[in-house]
Amino acid sequence: MSRKPVPAQSGERSRVEVTFDKPQLLPQLFGEYDSNILALEERLGVYIHARGQRVVIEGSAEAVAHAREVLTELQTRVIRGEAIDTGLIEAVIAMSDEPTFAGIMRADPKGSGPPPAIMIRTRKKTIVPRSVAQTHYMRDLISNDLIFALGPAGTGKTYLAVAQAVAQLITGNVQRLILSRPAVEAGERLGFLPGDMKEKVDPYLRPIYDALYDCLPAEQVERRIASGEIEIAPIAFMRGRTLADAFVILDEAQNTTPAQMKMFLTRFGQNSRMVVCGDPNQTDLPGGPNASGLNDAVRRLEGLEGIAISRFNAGDVVRHPLVGRIVYAYEGPDA
């Protein structure tokens, strides 16, 4: 690696060396053409170069300490088998800025030894948290019967819920998955849709299908849908049912009315778990957020035993970093 040093941030200049036990993993850590290192340099204002299994970090003392912590965490992710990309780098940087980062990721409650692994295993991949908010959310998915996941697009609310649902189905903890959302047009008039009922509602449910195919082989998804183990349907199809032995997910819940939300929540059956995902600020209902069944339900149910509410914000976006900045521009204090 030979590049022009990045100007250090203000403060006393510092230089540290980090030795990696597995130098064979450095290419994965650095990325193709050192793209991951370049992203770290640009984001943190440091200069990073390798000498064998040693990595030298130069810059201001504060920036160097920050980069060292992030680089060490990224190496841990590589050892676990995770792919390093710009989204993960941004997530780890954001997590390292949190005062609870070390406690959540590196120590048990007594302050010694590694924490119990926080992960979701599916047929195709093992999923680990990419933000502090995701860490708390994944714990809620394990320990609560009803979880409300609130926040903007790109924070992993629906994806992690589907992944946990798939994991529960694979292990036999539930007998079926029921994935639903309201069929509300997002500010557009789509007119008449051809085809049978499945073909009419599938466009509204595409994000759920995408998450399923990311967690299960395609042939398993199709087989389980055909057998009824996985059911994907609009919320109107839930009326009159009791959903027992199931993992139930309601996506885009901000587009439900209070009556629809009450109907859905009262479908809860024995040995079931329910996750309700949505962005309280982005409803497509004519009455706006005040008409949303999601906001009404959170107001009524927050604080009740057995119900968890996980909140995400623009800083928890794990898509392209630009998405987080866009969300902040629309919903931040100056919006």
Side-chain angles (χ1 to χ4, degrees):
M1 299 172 65
S2 179
R3 298 186 302 279
K4 183 179 179 180
V6 175
Q9 297 171 340
S10 59
E12 181 182 352
R13 188 166 181 80
S14 179
R15 179 179 184 274
V16 300
E17 289 187 357
V18 183
T19 302
F20 291 96
D21 298 333
K22 300 178 185 279
Q24 68 273 20
L25 297 180
L26 289 181
Q28 299 174 49
L29 177 63
F30 289 173
E32 190 174 8
Y33 303 113
D34 299 333
S35 57
N36 296 336
I37 296 302
L38 288 168
L40 272 177
E41 289 181 332
E42 181 179 356
R43 182 70 169 74
L44 300 178
V46 294
Y47 174 53
I48 304 172
H49 58 101
R51 295 179 177 176
Q53 66 187 85
R54 295 179 300 161
V55 174
V56 179
I57 309 171
E58 297 182 66
S60 71
E62 182 180 355
V64 165
H66 195 179
R68 179 178 182 175
E69 181 178 14
V70 170
L71 200 59
T72 302
E73 176 62 24
L74 289 173
Q75 186 212 22
T76 301
R77 303 290 187 112
V78 171
I79 292 173
R80 290 179 191 159
E82 295 182 50
I84 307 299
D85 55 25
T86 304
L88 180 58
I89 291 171
E90 287 288 336
V92 171
I93 290 173
M95 293 173 76
S96 69
D97 288 332
E98 294 282 343
T100 56
F101 175 74
I104 289 174
M105 301 304 297
R106 297 184 186 164
D108 62 19
K110 297 180 181 179
S112 62
I118 302 171
M119 61 181 65
I120 300 171
R121 296 186 184 276
T122 68
R123 285 281 189 261
K124 293 182 72 174
K125 59 171 60 177
T126 297
I127 299 159
V128 297
R130 287 195 167 200
S131 71
V132 173
Q134 284 194 359
T135 301
H136 294 306
Y137 180 41
M138 289 170 71
R139 287 174 174 159
D140 286 339
L141 288 171
I142 295 170
S143 57
N144 292 277
D145 293 328
L146 173 59
I147 304 99
F148 288 89
L150 313 176
T155 50
K157 306 182 300 297
T158 303
Y159 184 88
L160 290 176
V162 171
Q164 178 68 359
V166 168
Q168 294 286 299
L169 182 65
I170 291 171
T171 57
N173 291 330
V174 297
Q175 300 303 309
R176 54 184 175 154
L177 309 186
I178 300 174
L179 313 172
S180 183
R181 63 183 287 174
V184 175
E185 297 167 351
E188 303 172 71
R189 305 303 302 171
L190 300 181
F192 175 78
L193 292 174
D196 59 20
M197 183 56 67
K198 181 178 184 301
E199 291 170 327
K200 290 178 189 292
V201 301
D202 272 0
Y204 295 101
L205 303 169
R206 180 48 52 188
I208 294 177
Y209 279 106
D210 291 343
L212 276 174
Y213 284 114
D214 210 32
C215 297
L216 282 172
E219 64 276 8
Q220 286 199 27
V221 173
E222 301 299 336
R223 176 172 55 80
R224 291 175 187 268
I225 289 175
S227 70
E229 287 182 87
I230 298 177
E231 179 183 347
I232 306 175
I235 191 172
F237 285 38
M238 300 297 112
R239 189 173 297 277
R241 303 177 61 184
T242 299
L243 308 178
D245 296 306
F247 199 113
V248 188
I249 299 172
L250 175 62
D251 193 25
E252 299 291 342
Q254 73 275 5
N255 288 330
T256 61
T257 65
Q260 285 177 316
M261 180 62 75
K262 179 184 176 183
M263 178 275 291
F264 183 82
L265 294 177
T266 53
R267 301 307 93 201
F268 212 104
Q270 293 294 325
N271 191 36
S272 288
R273 184 160 296 169
M274 188 175 283
V275 184
V276 178
C277 305
D279 182 353
N281 299 319
Q282 199 179 29
T283 179
D284 298 311
L285 296 174
N290 291 332
S292 172
L294 176 62
N295 293 339
D296 180 68
V298 170
R299 177 178 60 81
R300 294 173 183 273
L301 302 178
E302 187 165 14
L304 295 185
E305 184 179 354
I307 298 176
I309 298 179
S310 292
R311 288 184 168 89
F312 299 83
N313 56 45
D316 300 310
V317 172
V318 292
R319 289 181 186 167
H320 192 285
L322 185 59
V323 176
R325 295 194 286 272
I326 291 171
V327 171
Y328 186 80
Y330 274 91
E331 301 181 7
D334 299 328

